Structure formats: C-alpha cells, structure tokens
Amino acid sequence: MPTIPNNEQFVGISSSQDLVEKGSAQTNSARTIYTYSDLKLGSQSAVANTGTIISFSETEIYNTSAAAGTGNITNDLTNAQLGIVQKLYHQEGSAPTVPAGWILVGSGTYSTTALNIIYAEWCGGTRVEYWIAQPA
C-alpha cells in the first residue's frame, strides 16, 4: 500500500480518471492520487486465535480477557513479517517462559495475580521484542 505523505490529499475518484484540479495545473501525472481501494488494501483486521504459540505472519489477538491463555509461550517464525505486533492475553500463577530470542522492553513485569496483556513484535532472525501490561 502506498504511504500517503502529510502534504497529499485523499481524493475519492477512480485512479483511471484524469483529474485537473480547479484553479491548478496539476494532474495525475504531477500529483499522486489515492483511491479508496488504495487505502483499503493497507488495512488489516486482526484474526482471533487461541493458545500460546505466537506467529508473526498475520495480525492476531491470542485468547481473550475473559478466557486468557496459560502455560509457556513459544513462537512460530515461519513467514514472519516485520511490523506485525501480536496481542496475547495471559494469566497464570507463575510467569511463563518465553523463547530465548524474546527481549523484554520497558519496565512492565508479569503479574501472577492479574490478567497480563503481552504485546510482541518480531524484529528479524529470532529476535522478538515484547512488553507486558495489566489493565488498570
């Protein structure tokens, strides 16, 4: 999907139509025109999943706040894509282990008495940066 620079405007017309702006000499050849379909192609909804085997090939939310995951966390890095951040609801009486390549960022710690929301982002190789929060 194209990235829209902050000095561009969204114009809701077909990209096959030529546009001459009123009072301007700029046309499609001089200005990028983004269509609704351009923007829609870049949007991605999260997929609901369960368990604690985290993959990074599509955006997913693992478990729910009402049915949190338990047990140790593992990952499947097959077809992992940069920029995907996964959300994992987890609650257990002891902190789970994570793969060796997972690096905790920030000061959040796992709570053994509350729901934990763990966010994880694959950064290349086996490195996954993750952070932990609890609902207020």
Side-chain angles (χ1 to χ4, degrees):
M1 179 183 130
T3 302
I4 299 176
N6 62 8
N7 63 346
E8 295 287 340
Q9 293 178 320
F10 171 75
V11 179
I13 62 165
S14 168
S15 59
S16 64
Q17 295 177 356
D18 200 16
L19 174 71
V20 176
E21 294 179 339
K22 190 171 189 175
S24 171
Q26 293 183 330
T27 63
N28 283 4
S29 60
R31 174 174 225 155
T32 304
I33 307 288
Y34 298 99
T35 65
Y36 176 73
S37 61
D38 289 334
L39 298 177
K40 192 172 180 183
L41 282 174
S43 68
Q44 184 177 3
S45 298
V47 174
N49 204 338
T50 58
T52 57
I53 302 172
I54 312 303
S55 71
F56 296 90
S57 57
E58 64 181 335
T59 303
E60 297 177 290
I61 298 175
Y62 290 84
N63 310 309
T64 66
S65 59
T70 60
N72 294 325
I73 298 171
T74 59
N75 57 226
D76 176 0
L77 301 178
T78 305
N79 298 319
Q81 297 181 41
L82 291 172
I84 292 181
V85 177
Q86 304 297 36
K87 183 177 189 178
L88 167 67
Y89 290 98
H90 197 277
Q91 187 169 6
E92 179 126 26
S94 60
T97 62
V98 297
W102 284 45
I103 308 299
L104 179 64
V105 295
S107 58
T109 58
Y110 190 90
S111 171
T112 58
T113 59
L115 176 66
N116 294 274
I117 305 169
I118 302 170
Y119 297 91
E121 180 178 9
W122 177 70
C123 299
T126 60
R127 184 180 176 100
V128 173
E129 295 175 351
Y130 73 102
W131 54 102
I132 304 171
Q134 291 83 30

